[in-house]
Amino acid sequence: MGNDQFLMNNILSISLWLVLFYDALIMLALPSTVTYVAGTDGSAARFVVYLMSAIITGVVLSAYGFKRLPVVWLGALLLFIIFSSFHCPNLQYEGPFTPKDPGLFNFKPMLECVLFFGLFMAMYSLPINTDQKDSIYKTLAISGAIISVYVILQRLGMDQIYRITDEMVINQMTRNPQVGGFISQPVYASALLVMLFPFMLRFRGWLAPLSIIAVLLTGNRTGLIGIAVLSLYFITNKKMVAIWSFVAIMAILALAVGIYWHFPDKMQALTHPSGR
């Protein structure tokens, strides 16, 4: 493995560790403020994703260059996103020093699209061999196992780093607010575990039940559906079975939304008081 590939492999692994455990590293930096560099919750991981996406894109672009765009419509979509941002509703603010740019709310998602397009092109252009892929998969699998075990410990009341303080109103949070993993949010933790589930199953089959148990403990319904669809795919080894299962779930959700739209009073008992 050349020096450039070795460096790139380390950057990829470090990026994954930082994204998955940045919030925990900040919490362990106490007694300093937990908002050091970036805030907690999903914003911390998002900050690191932005930063590492820019670093990976820059390193690959300077060391290897980008390959030819495999799908021309991706480039067209990026151009359309930039074009459309200047045709969004114009937000007016009071005061002489406030911005009056059109579509001010659209610049953040536009930045994300540009960053992730660069990250996509970097990963597509990067020469990654089998050993490097296995190293990345191993990193994801081990991360999933660590997060799963920590979620289980949180549900058992053994968490000594994150905790629900007396000032927080539990009734306004999710079903199991104390089960948030290292990202302090059960919904995000569940989604993360669903994404890591295939890597855990591929690396060591016995790690997969840890992810399933952790998702169950978060109480997030969407995460449970995701685990069910993935499990069905791996059990049957047929992609179409998982695809049609997903289509059926989406159809049921669409039907529920349609019923709620036309008969809100009858569906009120099934919805959250906030309307969600």
Side-chain angles (χ1 to χ4, degrees):
M1 184 186 298
N3 292 331
D4 290 341
Q5 290 187 348
F6 180 78
L7 174 63
M8 197 65 238
N9 190 35
N10 286 337
I11 292 177
L12 290 173
S13 297
I14 291 172
S15 299
L16 292 172
W17 288 115
L18 284 177
V19 170
L20 294 171
F21 297 104
Y22 179 81
D23 201 14
L25 294 173
I26 292 301
M27 290 296 293
L28 291 174
L30 294 174
S32 63
T33 173
V34 295
T35 57
Y36 174 71
V37 180
T40 58
D41 207 346
S43 60
R46 191 179 301 114
F47 165 80
V48 181
V49 168
Y50 293 166
L51 183 62
M52 300 311 295
S53 296
I55 292 175
I56 292 172
T57 301
V59 171
V60 173
L61 187 59
S62 62
Y64 304 100
F66 283 169
K67 293 181 180 179
R68 183 177 178 178
L69 186 64
V71 182
V72 66
W73 294 111
L74 288 176
L77 175 63
L78 192 67
L79 292 175
F80 174 76
I81 290 172
I82 296 174
F83 175 80
S84 65
S85 65
F86 290 94
H87 294 78
C88 292
N90 190 12
L91 300 179
Q92 300 293 333
Y93 295 88
E94 296 181 358
F97 300 106
T98 53
K100 296 184 179 180
D101 294 324
L104 188 64
F105 52 86
N106 198 42
F107 281 91
K108 181 179 178 181
M110 183 172 66
L111 170 66
E112 293 179 343
C113 290
V114 173
L115 281 174
F116 294 145
F117 177 79
L119 180 62
F120 164 76
M121 288 302 300
M123 298 307 300
Y124 174 70
S125 306
L126 183 65
I128 302 179
N129 56 38
T130 303
D131 292 338
Q132 290 174 309
K133 288 183 180 179
D134 290 340
S135 176
I136 294 172
Y137 296 161
K138 181 179 179 180
T139 298
L140 292 170
I142 294 175
S143 299
I146 294 173
I147 296 171
S148 298
V149 170
Y150 196 75
V151 165
I152 294 172
L153 294 177
Q154 285 179 319
R155 193 67 179 89
L156 295 175
M158 301 173 65
D159 185 9
Q160 297 298 313
I161 301 177
Y162 298 90
R163 61 182 295 272
I164 299 299
T165 62
D166 297 334
E167 290 78 14
M168 291 185 177
V169 182
I170 296 181
N171 292 333
Q172 295 180 359
M173 302 183 72
T174 55
R175 293 178 195 81
N176 303 316
Q178 73 277 19
V179 185
F182 293 108
I183 204 167
S184 308
Q185 226 289 346
V187 176
Y188 294 161
S190 174
L192 182 61
L193 288 170
V194 170
M195 289 187 284
L196 296 177
F197 173 75
F199 300 98
M200 297 170 65
L201 184 63
R202 183 182 185 274
F203 179 64
R204 294 287 188 274
W206 55 268
L207 290 178
L210 284 176
S211 178
I212 296 174
I213 293 172
V215 172
L216 285 170
L217 293 178
T218 64
N220 181 250
R221 297 189 184 98
T222 306
L224 295 175
I225 293 174
I227 285 290
V229 173
L230 285 174
S231 299
L232 186 62
Y233 167 71
F234 286 113
I235 291 173
T236 61
N237 199 26
K238 294 181 179 179
K239 184 183 296 185
M240 291 306 300
V241 173
I243 291 176
W244 282 113
S245 299
F246 179 76
V247 171
I249 293 169
M250 292 297 102
I252 294 172
L253 291 176
L255 178 62
V257 171
I259 295 174
Y260 178 76
W261 184 270
H262 292 285
F263 306 101
D265 295 337
K266 296 182 179 180
M267 292 287 290
Q268 194 67 38
L270 300 179
T271 61
H272 191 272
S274 66
R276 297 178 63 186

